[in-house]
Amino acid sequence: VSRSVSRLLEADAIAKQKHEALDRLRLESDLKQGLQEGQFQLHFQPIVNMLDRQLVGFESLIRWHSPNRGLVRPDVFIGIAEETSLIVPIGRWVIEQACKHLSLFKKQLEKHRFPQALFMSINISGRQFQDPHFFNHLLEAIKETCTSPKDIKLEVTERTLMQGASALHMINKSRKLGFQVALDDFGTGYSSLSYLSRFEVDNLKVDQSFVRNMNKDRKVQVITKAIIDMAMGMGLPSIAEGIETEGDFETLKQMGCEFGQGYLFAKPLSYPQAISYLLKQKETYGFTG
Ligand code: C2E
Ligand code: MG
Ligand code: MG
Ligand code: MG
């Protein structure tokens, strides 16, 4: 009896695997079609100065409006896009759109005589760094939109750093070309702290898992503070993500965290919403002009 049960279980496991493989194939083909048919959209989440809550930049975050699946979050499809290398054309589209929108935001700032600078953060997958055309495409997008590398922040994760020498080379080259680099989701990956001494970056992003738990768990609070202190010691301003409450905000500010993003300030916004947000800054801070 037990043998037939185990055979049944095996058949079940195989059926499940087949099902999952099929799901992935469908997702891959839907993604390809999505790119061809313009189903992607960029949203922009404000990043603010923790001292005065003034807007300093936006993080571009991809959204997929699939006709069969509805709104799909990036966590669901970026992984598959990386495995199938579809992230290369998708990432290229993201770069073009992010640069284009940065230029549109900057025009609004000029028009309303806002004094502040504004950067655009772009998430870059490790797989994109392996594309030999990566910098050509990036520089082309910069040129076409009359933006400047100094206003672009490339966000890379620890997982990307784990690719070793090639990632190191790409990060150094990015910075040589004048782009800023931020280490995203810091503290959640596999890399050891010693990586930090081998990479020159501009910012550390404190992952939202720390922010979410720091006021509930003393140990998490100690780690969060250590990350911010260490970054500060290396001259790297920290950007905390996932700030949802005034309590989170106060704690991080006390810790010396320079920049923040989160639902407390704004959710990721569509382009028109982001323009309204930007214009509201003028009322709030009363810029002359
Ligand atoms: P990430 O780069 O760490 O982006 C921050 C994520 O935190 C975003 O999720 C954002 O919506 C979310 N978030 C921001 N503030 C809060 C908050 O206060 N509370 C909560 N609960 N969440 C908050 P999103 O947009 O779903 O993106 C998830 C991940 O997908 C990103 O994490 C990034 O790793 C990846 N991703 C998004 N867009 C792109 C892209 O264009 N290219 C690549 N390669 N990856 C992307
Ligand atoms: Mg990011
Ligand atoms: Mg992050
Ligand atoms: Mg994340």
Side-chain angles (χ1 to χ4, degrees):
V1 175
S2 84
R3 244 172 81 187
S4 56
V5 167
S6 79
R7 218 176 283 146
L8 270 177
L9 286 175
E10 213 171 279
D12 214 37
I14 291 171
K16 200 172 156 225
Q17 272 174 14
K18 268 192 191 156
H19 191 76
E20 277 167 13
L22 208 61
D23 273 354
R24 292 165 75 85
L25 274 176
R26 284 205 195 98
L27 185 58
E28 183 185 344
S29 96
D30 282 0
L31 273 174
K32 266 187 203 150
Q33 197 179 355
L35 189 61
Q36 278 162 7
E37 295 182 1
Q39 294 165 8
F40 294 103
Q41 191 189 5
L42 276 194
H43 276 191
F44 307 96
Q45 188 175 33
I47 299 177
V48 305
N49 188 324
M50 295 289 275
L51 292 179
D52 54 11
R53 302 190 192 209
Q54 234 190 102
L55 179 71
V56 293
F58 287 107
E59 176 172 5
S60 55
L61 294 159
I62 195 167
R63 297 291 178 261
W64 178 23
H65 302 274
S66 158
N68 335 325
R69 297 163 189 268
L71 179 68
V72 192
R73 309 255 324 178
D75 286 331
V76 178
F77 67 87
I78 291 291
I80 304 274
E82 284 171 349
E83 284 168 31
T84 57
S85 294
L86 272 173
I87 194 67
V88 173
I90 293 175
R92 186 178 179 187
W93 177 87
V94 167
I95 286 171
E96 288 165 3
Q97 291 293 313
C99 290
K100 181 181 128 192
H101 285 89
L102 174 62
S103 131
L104 292 171
F105 287 132
K106 282 187 155 276
K107 281 200 184 108
Q108 287 290 325
L109 288 178
E110 269 164 41
K111 184 174 157 201
H112 297 279
R113 301 193 202 189
F114 280 27
Q116 86 242 57
L118 194 73
F119 66 78
M120 181 67 79
S121 279
I122 307 177
N123 291 288
I124 305 290
S125 290
R127 179 65 188 79
Q128 289 175 265
F129 268 174
Q130 289 164 11
D131 169 24
H133 305 295
F134 178 76
F135 285 113
N136 288 343
H137 291 156
L138 184 58
L139 291 170
E140 213 171 278
I142 293 283
K143 203 170 148 201
E144 263 173 31
T145 54
C146 298
T147 47
S148 153
K150 74 173 183 1
D151 297 328
I152 302 286
K153 212 186 269 295
L154 304 175
E155 294 196 1
V156 299
T157 63
E158 279 171 305
R159 209 150 56 89
T160 299
L161 299 193
M162 294 289 289
Q163 291 173 351
S166 63
L168 176 67
H169 169 76
M170 294 301 275
I171 287 173
N172 288 342
K173 185 160 176 193
S174 302
R175 296 188 79 245
K176 248 183 226 137
L177 290 169
F179 294 96
Q180 299 181 53
V181 176
L183 210 44
D184 204 356
D185 301 349
F186 186 76
T188 60
Y190 313 97
S191 72
S192 76
L193 288 179
S194 72
Y195 268 80
L196 276 181
S197 62
R198 281 183 257 161
F199 290 90
E200 290 285 338
V201 294
D202 299 274
N203 297 106
L204 272 195
K205 291 199 78 172
V206 180
D207 191 67
Q208 50 183 290
S209 56
F210 295 108
V211 176
R212 196 180 310 131
N213 296 310
M214 67 185 176
N215 282 329
K216 296 181 200 129
D217 183 337
R218 197 157 141 73
K219 280 187 198 154
V220 177
Q221 183 148 345
V222 170
I223 295 171
T224 311
K225 178 155 190 334
I227 290 175
I228 292 168
D229 276 345
M230 183 182 65
M232 216 182 308
M234 292 192 281
L236 305 179
S238 296
I239 305 173
E241 47 183 38
I243 303 175
E244 293 188 355
T245 66
E246 289 292 339
D248 300 339
F249 172 71
E250 274 311 316
T251 304
L252 288 161
K253 200 170 143 179
Q254 293 299 320
M255 290 177 179
C257 180
E258 281 94 338
F259 302 105
Q261 69 189 96
Y263 296 172
L264 176 66
F265 314 112
K267 289 197 168 181
L269 306 170
S270 67
Y271 173 69
Q273 289 171 328
I275 290 287
S276 321
Y277 181 92
L278 192 145
L279 295 178
K280 258 211 304 247
Q281 293 266 309
K282 182 163 174 161
E283 291 160 28
T284 314
Y285 299 102
F287 294 136
T288 51

